[in-house]
Amino acid sequence: QRLIKPVKVKSMKRFLLAVLVTVAASAAMPSAQAQNVQNFKIKSFTADYYLDRNQAKTATLRTDEVITAEFPNFNQNHGILRALPKSYRGHSVSLKINSVKDIRDFPLKYETYEQNDNLVLKIGDKDTYVQGVQVYKISYDQKNVINFLDDHEEFYWDINGDQWGQTFGEITARIHIAPSLISSLQSRRECY
């Protein structure tokens, strides 16, 4: 006596087709990880620092950043957040945003809010998703960015910070010293 009924070939084909359709549909849907808005990467981060001093002999710093982000190819993100310090060693840096632009130098929409003594730029349009590679060009000014010690003065600056939720591909920083300051530099120079 048989305990297992024979399966008809037609029924088996329908069953296999249903399994294949289910597997294909799940593969096409983004995973829960992909739905996390932090799930993108920073391909490159470049910062050019222009160090100078004004007529009152206060240290000034203009920073031009180019952040190249790579987003997933589905509707998940509207842009990036960039936190900029409002103070340095307990005093204000008089942060001023000059511009926020795209790769073609067109202005980008952004809003700001304060968090942990930073000014956070929320760059993007809430009605528009970004996908693939996007470039964000941010320019800002700061003052009082030099640390004064007993035997020297130093420009001691964190390039990209450590609170990002993304991985970074490449980070580049260039410091441009105003010609009027060159003669004031010590011969002992260090970079970490």
Side-chain angles (χ1 to χ4, degrees), residues 78-82 97 99-112 120-130 134-138:
H78 298 279
I80 64 168
L81 299 176
R82 176 65 177 117
I97 305 301
S99 63
V100 179
K101 299 179 179 181
D102 68 10
I103 194 167
R104 299 168 309 208
D105 285 330
F106 291 134
L108 289 170
K109 287 185 178 182
Y110 71 94
E111 298 173 2
T112 62
V120 180
L121 305 178
K122 185 177 181 181
I123 305 170
D125 184 342
K126 65 180 178 67
D127 297 323
T128 306
Y129 286 100
V130 290
Q134 302 292 320
V135 176
Y136 301 90
K137 297 165 78 174
I138 305 167

Side-chain angles (χ1 to χ4, degrees), residues 28-110:
M29 293 177 69
S31 68
Q33 172 71 11
Q35 291 294 329
N36 178 353
V37 295
Q38 296 296 325
N39 188 25
F40 66 94
K41 64 183 171 185
I42 304 296
K43 288 183 66 140
S44 65
F45 180 100
T46 301
D48 281 282
Y49 298 103
Y50 297 88
L51 191 59
D52 201 348
R53 67 178 166 202
N54 60 21
Q55 290 180 343
K57 304 237 186 234
T58 301
T60 62
L61 181 68
R62 187 185 88 229
T63 303
D64 294 330
E65 295 178 350
V66 178
I67 302 170
T68 304
E70 186 172 10
F71 298 98
N73 288 319
F74 52 85
N75 290 343
Q76 169 181 282
N77 298 88
H78 298 279
I80 64 168
L81 299 176
R82 176 65 177 117
L84 303 172
K86 291 179 52 190
S87 67
Y88 177 67
R89 304 226 179 221
H91 61 269
S92 170
V93 293
S94 304
L95 176 63
K96 177 185 167 260
I97 305 301
N98 298 323
S99 63
V100 179
K101 299 179 179 181
D102 68 10
I103 194 167
R104 299 168 309 208
D105 285 330
F106 291 134
L108 289 170
K109 287 185 178 182
Y110 71 94

Side-chain angles (χ1 to χ4, degrees), residues 139-170:
S139 177
Y140 52 95
D141 290 332
Q142 294 168 301
K143 294 178 185 173
N144 298 312
V145 295
I146 298 297
N147 190 21
F148 296 94
L149 303 171
D150 290 338
D151 62 340
H152 69 282
E153 299 166 5
E154 65 182 10
F155 176 62
Y156 188 85
W157 213 245
D158 191 353
I159 304 299
N160 66 321
D162 61 359
Q163 299 298 309
W164 292 81
Q166 294 74 37
T167 58
F168 281 73
E170 181 179 297

